[in-house]
Each structure stands twice: as C-alpha cells, then as structure tokens.
Amino acid sequence: MTVDVLMTIEELLEQVQEDIENPDTSYKLRTARQLLSIFEQRNEDLSVAISEAVSDDELRERLRDLGYLSTRRESRGLQ
C-alpha cells in the first residue's frame, strides 16, 4: 500500500515538473522527487529488515497483507 502511494506521488510530481517552465520550481520538484526516492528506499530496507527478523511465515504474510511489508516486486514498481 505504501509503495502504491509513493509511486503515485512520484508520477504526479514528474508530470508537474514536465509542465513547469520556472527553473527554481523545477529544481524544487526534482529535489522533492529525489527525497521521495530516498524515502521509498528506506521503506524497502525496513521491509527487508522486518521480513528477515520475523521467522514465522504466517506472521510475515499477515504483515504483508496489512501493508507493513512490501514484496520486492512491489517495491521495484513491477506490480
């Protein structure tokens, strides 16, 4: 779920950045997109750490269903 939200925000920012002619505004949007990318990577790293720490497959699947863990496929935008 979090990955979907992050990807949607990224897409919206990218579309707006393409329409902006002001270089300062474009810079701010590009910076926001880079920060979003960092957040997405940290989210993926956290999911991996939790997944490795939780040895119970059933619990790990429930956490994934609730959106606390993302699959590697989702985190790379491959849905």
Side-chain angles (χ1 to χ4, degrees):
M1 176 167 47
T2 302
V3 173
D4 293 336
V5 172
L6 293 174
M7 289 178 61
T8 301
I9 292 170
E10 165 63 22
E11 289 171 6
L12 292 170
L13 289 173
E14 181 180 19
Q15 291 170 4
V16 171
Q17 186 180 0
E18 291 172 358
D19 291 339
I20 297 294
E21 293 181 18
N22 182 325
D24 290 333
T25 304
S26 182
Y27 170 79
K28 290 175 185 177
L29 284 169
R30 186 172 51 254
T31 302
R33 291 177 61 208
Q34 290 170 345
L35 292 172
L36 188 61
S37 177
I38 291 169
F39 180 77
E40 187 176 5
Q41 181 61 48
R42 288 183 180 172
N43 185 50
E44 180 181 346
D45 293 346
L46 179 60
S47 291
V48 169
I50 291 171
S51 183
E52 290 174 354
V54 176
S55 60
D56 183 5
D57 289 337
E58 183 179 334
L59 176 58
R60 190 175 17 239
E61 188 61 36
R62 287 192 346 226
L63 289 171
R64 206 173 273 119
D65 291 343
L66 292 170
Y68 291 107
L69 295 177
S70 61
T71 64
R72 292 185 196 278
R73 194 175 169 174
E74 287 176 344
S75 63
R76 289 191 171 76
L78 300 175
Q79 299 181 9

